[in-house]
Amino acid sequence: MAGYKEREPPLTEVFNSFQRLAAEGYGKAYYPLSTLYGGEQSINGDPAQAELFRKRAFDWLFANQLQNDPEIWNDLGKLYLTSGADNCIEGSIALQWFLEAAKMDSASAMWHISGMYESGYLGFLPDGTDALYWQIKAAKAGHEAAQHGLEQQHEHGDLVTKIDDEQVFDWYVWSAEQGHLWAQLFLASAFRCGDLVEQDDEQAAHWYLQAATQGEPHAQLQLGKMYWEGRGVEQNYDQAEYWLENSADQGSAESQYQLGQFLCEKGGDVEVAAQLIQCAADQEYGPAQYIIASDKGAIFDVTDEQCEKLFDKAFSWYEERAVSGDSELRLDYALMHLDCWNSGGDTSYRVSHSEGLHLLKEVATEWVVAGAPLSINDV
């Protein structure tokens, strides 16, 4: 009956099963019956029956507390907690039962301890644990509500800010190892950028591979680029093309553009490369639009007027995104200023030589400070 998802009402078969078990004297059926009679899970409530089975549950659970059964201890904790929510003594007893059950890996008990912290009912235990600590333990033990709550915190950015906490980092790794795409992509990006954890291309490639094998297009794109550049993995053009192609086949404009660039650079089919870049440009992907605009009709079938319009779109695309802080994107934006100014074309009215130099200096300084390797192509 645990879990964050709403169950289909009413749970008639479950209710009837518990009633049969209770009639046979099976004590563990008393507590769930008390909650069902209390109106939970869309069963029609009966306060008198709820109280009856609550008393039966307490008597049976208390009498069997020495059975070394975490389910019994967890139910006792819940009974003490609900009977004395504002009573420190009752709450302390509830906590002790939950702690005993938690020692036996009861996910439900861990979740209840987390809830007691979250509600402000508890301060800190002597070992310094808190609500998040117990929520993570409950999630790893398989508690759905705990897992869902952590995923929500991640989506809202609350959990990301705590990644330097060992427990939080372990939760991300555990989730990624369970095959959760969101966790694999997060870790891959974190290790690639080095913003939240120490930069590690090998770890980035590892987690991108896990997500890529599940068919995730962004992971396939990033993994393809890493094989292309030999970053975090041994350089392998066959693998680079394989992963870029897989991502491009899913319609990713950036992947189509990157695959087209890869084919051009590695002596692939130029016609196919041009088609891919054109597809990316048709999806309003700025770098592809810029490539076509710069081509001036040599490969792509476009007029001078169309080139000028494409350049304006591409420039706006870069201008909008260059403020995001992505140094590679800002480098491209700087080079766009310089290339277009030096070309002497009609697009120079949109760009500034001094602005290009200023941006280039900013990016170069950031990379030197960060210890990132620079090549002659970067400059």
Side-chain angles (χ1 to χ4, degrees):
M1 292 173 62
Y4 73 90
K5 295 179 181 178
E6 292 184 1
R7 310 302 182 182
E8 290 294 328
L11 295 180
T12 307
E13 291 185 13
V14 174
F15 181 62
N16 291 338
S17 295
F18 281 131
Q19 284 185 312
R20 286 194 296 272
L21 289 169
E24 296 169 5
Y26 184 69
K28 284 189 178 182
Y30 298 150
Y31 179 73
L33 272 176
S34 73
T35 63
L36 290 169
Y37 272 121
E40 292 188 17
Q41 305 291 342
S42 301
I43 298 295
N44 291 329
D46 186 330
Q49 286 291 88
E51 184 59 25
L52 172 65
F53 278 103
R54 182 182 180 81
K55 289 179 179 178
R56 286 184 182 178
F58 182 83
D59 291 341
W60 186 89
L61 292 168
F62 195 82
N64 289 273
Q65 62 181 281
L66 298 180
Q67 285 193 25
N68 206 35
D69 186 334
E71 187 177 355
I72 290 176
W73 299 336
N74 184 55
D75 284 350
L76 271 172
K78 288 187 285 187
L79 280 168
Y80 273 107
L81 185 64
T82 54
S83 66
D86 298 322
N87 186 309
C88 291
I89 296 177
E90 299 286 340
S92 297
I93 296 174
L95 175 61
Q96 291 306 312
W97 285 122
F98 286 141
L99 286 171
E100 288 301 316
K103 290 176 186 177
M104 301 282 286
D105 298 323
S106 168
S108 178
M110 296 170 187
W111 177 239
H112 279 93
I113 297 171
S114 175
M116 292 179 78
Y117 273 118
E118 193 67 34
S119 65
Y121 193 75
L122 297 175
F124 282 82
L125 291 180
D127 59 2
T129 59
D130 58 9
L132 182 59
Y133 170 87
W134 285 103
Q135 184 178 3
I136 290 173
K137 285 182 71 70
K140 287 183 177 180
H143 199 281
E144 290 182 12
Q147 293 173 349
H148 181 64
L150 288 169
E151 290 172 22
Q152 290 293 103
Q153 289 181 58
H154 169 76
E155 289 179 13
H156 295 138
D158 298 333
L159 198 63
V160 173
T161 60
K162 303 173 185 174
I163 194 171
D164 57 342
D165 182 306
E166 186 177 346
Q167 285 289 326
V168 174
F169 181 76
D170 286 348
W171 158 250
Y172 277 112
V173 173
W174 183 87
S175 299
E177 289 173 344
Q178 303 309 303
H180 296 147
L181 276 172
W182 63 268
Q184 293 170 346
L185 289 171
F186 172 76
L187 285 176
S189 178
F191 278 117
R192 178 175 65 88
C193 299
D195 294 334
L196 298 167
V197 296
E198 185 176 350
Q199 202 274 339
D200 189 328
D201 284 334
E202 289 187 10
Q203 282 293 312
H206 169 77
W207 291 117
Y208 276 132
L209 176 61
Q210 306 312 305
T213 54
Q214 294 195 64
E216 209 290 319
H218 178 72
Q220 293 172 338
L221 165 64
Q222 295 300 331
L223 186 61
K225 290 167 68 176
M226 296 185 87
Y227 272 114
W228 183 358
E229 300 166 6
R231 183 161 47 87
V233 292
E234 186 176 347
Q235 193 171 50
N236 186 317
Y237 294 145
D238 288 339
Q239 283 292 304
E241 184 173 356
Y242 172 80
W243 289 114
L244 289 173
E245 193 172 69
N246 270 271
S247 184
D249 285 346
Q250 296 191 61
S252 165
E254 184 179 0
S255 301
Q256 292 167 346
Y257 169 77
Q258 292 290 349
L259 180 57
Q261 291 286 79
F262 175 83
L263 293 174
C264 288
E265 183 178 315
K266 300 306 169 190
D269 190 320
V270 176
E271 186 175 341
V272 172
Q275 290 173 351
L276 287 163
I277 293 172
Q278 184 65 63
C279 285
D282 290 343
Q283 294 188 62
E284 305 295 327
Y285 186 63
Q289 294 170 327
Y290 178 44
I291 286 289
I292 297 174
S294 303
D295 177 68
K296 296 292 184 181
I299 297 176
F300 300 93
D301 185 20
V302 288
T303 64
D304 288 343
E305 184 179 355
Q306 289 173 320
C307 283
E308 189 172 334
K309 289 180 179 179
L310 282 170
F311 174 82
D312 282 340
K313 286 184 177 181
F315 190 87
S316 297
W317 188 93
Y318 275 105
E319 192 173 37
E320 181 181 335
R321 290 163 178 78
V323 297
S324 67
D326 186 318
S327 57
E328 291 185 12
L329 194 62
R330 289 166 60 216
L331 173 62
D332 290 343
Y333 185 48
L335 295 177
M336 191 176 189
H337 275 274
L338 297 175
D339 289 347
C340 293
W341 181 269
N342 293 331
S343 69
D346 294 337
T347 56
S348 60
Y349 70 94
R350 285 293 304 271
V351 297
S352 161
H353 188 264
S354 60
E355 178 65 14
L357 288 174
H358 174 71
L359 288 168
L360 191 60
K361 183 179 178 181
E362 274 190 358
V363 174
T365 301
E366 289 170 6
W367 285 11
V368 169
V369 170
L374 288 172
S375 69
I376 189 65
N377 292 328
D378 295 324
V379 182

